[in-house]
Amino acid sequence: MTNGVNTKTRVSRRHFLLGAAGAGVAAAGIGLPAIRPSRAQAGRVVYATWGGSWEAAIKKAWFAPFTKATGIEVVAVQDNTYGKFQSMVESGSTEWDVVETNPDFQYIGAERGLLEPLDFSIIDKSKIMSGDGFVTEYSVPQVLWSRLMAYNTKALNNKVPEDYKALFDLEGFPGKRAFYTNPNSGALEAALLADGVAPDKLYPLDIDRALDKWSEIRDHIIFYETNAQAQQYISDGQAALSMMPDGRALAAVKDGSPVAIQYNQSILTWSSMVVPKGAKNRENAMKFLAFALSPEGQAAIANEYTYGPVVPDAFKFISPERAKILSGGPQQQGKYIMANEKWWAENLEKASERLTEWRLM
């Protein structure tokens, strides 16, 4: 098969997953027989990624097994910015076939006519966990991650903050609080929860009320601009508590820093995968998405990287020890709140303006 859709060689989702599942299980170390590549299905998928250690993980967990199962080459490229995405689609020169994005773009991109509808006759969405906005006509979730409260055990003298009220309790939990410079970090949600808003009444967020709550601790907030900076602040005790991504908090724990994680009311979210309008290898892109969203494919990436699977059946192929550190795992059940990413897509700009105004007051 050359680039593009070839209906003569199209395979059914069931047939495709039969091969893909075997490769995924092998990648997860389960030990099923290897799948012989089918050269009749050869072609390519250009995958736009955030790169770094994440790219190394998806190459091992997804790209290599997928190519082994199907013969379809997966080529990774970086610089997956929204501006470049829009420019290439609108100019009719789409170079990417699958793009990983934050979930706000699944709404923004669809509204701007930049996305290709997904083929759910190939992609099995029935196994994906339920949640508002998790699956749309144009997007599927990739992996789970969380925004949550991490704390420096040494700075707090081993006192455990049980909920977000601790962020605003300077007497009981002295020290700086580290918040992200962008508003969609979970810190606004934390302020509202600490102020008595019920979890199921969080959205639409009352931004002014949240910032009023922040004002109670204004002089004790330090802002971080990168997740690496957040990890540093909480690791060395510059901040006693922080709202931050679970991956960075886990990295701090793994590094031996005196850091612990509170999963109560953690804000669970996800990354998305979309197909740009006019993708040259559209059908191969659908096959790749089907592979990545199989229970075995989800287990493979969860065993490589500390993000949680969006397909619950993946936990059948993940050890209990590994499951305990993954977003959506047993340590988080009954505790997390699902982020409303559609609200954030519609309100991020307004929230950013309000946060900037508040910081300048």
Side-chain angles (χ1 to χ4, degrees):
M1 179 189 288
T2 57
N3 292 349
V5 176
N6 184 341
T7 55
K8 292 182 179 179
T9 59
R10 179 171 178 166
V11 294
S12 70
R13 176 173 60 80
R14 182 178 180 183
H15 176 82
F16 167 71
L17 286 178
L18 196 61
V25 168
I30 310 300
L32 289 184
I35 303 298
R36 178 175 296 176
S38 172
R39 293 302 171 193
Q41 300 173 22
R44 72 197 303 247
V45 171
V46 179
Y47 186 103
T49 174
W50 289 298
S53 58
W54 169 249
E55 179 180 328
I58 58 178
K59 282 181 173 177
K60 183 175 181 180
W62 288 344
F63 294 7
F66 176 73
T67 299
K68 185 175 182 180
T70 65
I72 299 170
E73 178 188 20
V74 185
V75 179
V77 296
Q78 294 80 37
D79 193 27
N80 56 338
T81 63
Y82 292 175
K84 185 172 182 177
F85 193 119
Q86 183 164 346
S87 177
M88 69 168 59
V89 172
E90 290 181 345
S91 66
S93 57
T94 303
E95 299 172 2
W96 304 334
D97 301 308
V98 175
V99 185
E100 51 190 21
T101 76
N102 290 320
D104 58 348
F105 193 71
Q106 69 190 34
Y107 302 108
I108 296 170
E111 183 177 327
R112 297 178 181 174
L114 304 177
L115 305 182
E116 194 76 32
L118 300 186
D119 187 345
F120 290 109
S121 70
I122 297 177
I123 304 165
D124 183 3
K125 62 181 179 181
S126 68
K127 300 291 185 182
I128 297 172
M129 63 183 286
S130 60
D132 288 341
F134 234 42
V135 178
T136 73
E137 181 182 358
Y138 300 98
S139 68
V140 285
Q142 183 186 46
V143 288
L144 296 171
W145 62 283
S146 300
R147 302 174 175 112
L148 43 66
M149 183 166 60
Y151 57 99
N152 186 293
T153 56
K154 188 175 179 181
L156 296 186
N157 197 25
N158 292 316
K159 189 174 181 180
V160 178
E162 297 291 347
D163 56 36
Y164 294 132
K165 291 180 181 177
L167 286 170
F168 304 91
D169 179 2
L170 296 173
E171 184 175 342
F173 299 91
K176 298 289 187 182
R177 279 70 169 138
F179 293 163
Y180 192 29
T181 50
N182 290 334
N184 57 339
S185 63
L188 291 179
E189 284 91 335
L192 292 171
L193 290 164
D195 205 38
V197 176
D200 62 348
K201 305 295 184 186
L202 264 180
Y203 302 96
L205 292 184
D206 187 336
I207 300 172
D208 289 335
R209 180 174 174 178
L211 292 177
D212 284 346
K213 189 67 178 176
W214 280 22
S215 293
E216 297 177 7
I217 57 170
R218 175 187 288 274
D219 295 338
H220 298 270
I221 295 175
I222 54 176
F223 285 95
Y224 63 85
E225 296 186 352
T226 67
N227 292 328
Q229 202 173 24
Q231 182 178 335
Q232 184 63 45
Y233 284 169
I234 202 69
S235 295
D236 63 18
Q238 290 186 68
L241 303 101
S242 178
M243 285 299 295
M244 60 191 295
D246 59 344
R248 286 293 182 174
L250 285 165
V253 173
K254 186 178 179 182
D255 288 347
S257 300
V259 173
I261 296 169
Q262 178 54 265
Y263 287 98
N264 288 339
Q265 296 187 324
S266 48
I267 310 298
L268 188 65
T269 187
W270 66 96
S271 52
S272 295
M273 293 185 288
V274 299
V275 176
K277 192 82 171 178
K280 294 182 177 68
N281 304 292
R282 178 184 176 280
E283 188 166 350
N284 285 346
M286 303 301 164
K287 295 172 186 173
F288 176 84
L289 293 176
F291 177 87
L293 290 168
S294 66
E296 295 82 358
Q298 285 285 295
I301 190 60
N303 281 314
E304 284 297 325
Y305 215 83
T306 53
Y307 290 149
V310 296
V311 174
D313 282 352
F315 282 107
K316 295 176 182 177
F317 309 115
I318 299 171
S319 70
E321 292 74 21
R322 183 71 180 176
K324 286 193 297 186
I325 67 168
L326 300 174
S327 278
Q331 87 290 356
Q332 211 175 7
Q333 295 304 311
K335 298 179 179 178
Y336 68 78
I337 298 168
M338 186 66 78
N340 186 330
E341 295 293 354
K342 185 176 184 181
W343 185 90
W344 273 111
E346 295 169 346
N347 294 278
L348 179 58
E349 184 176 350
K350 181 177 72 174
S352 298
E353 290 173 356
R354 285 290 298 117
L355 176 54
T356 299
E357 292 170 1
W358 181 88
R359 293 184 65 181
L360 294 174
M361 289 173 60

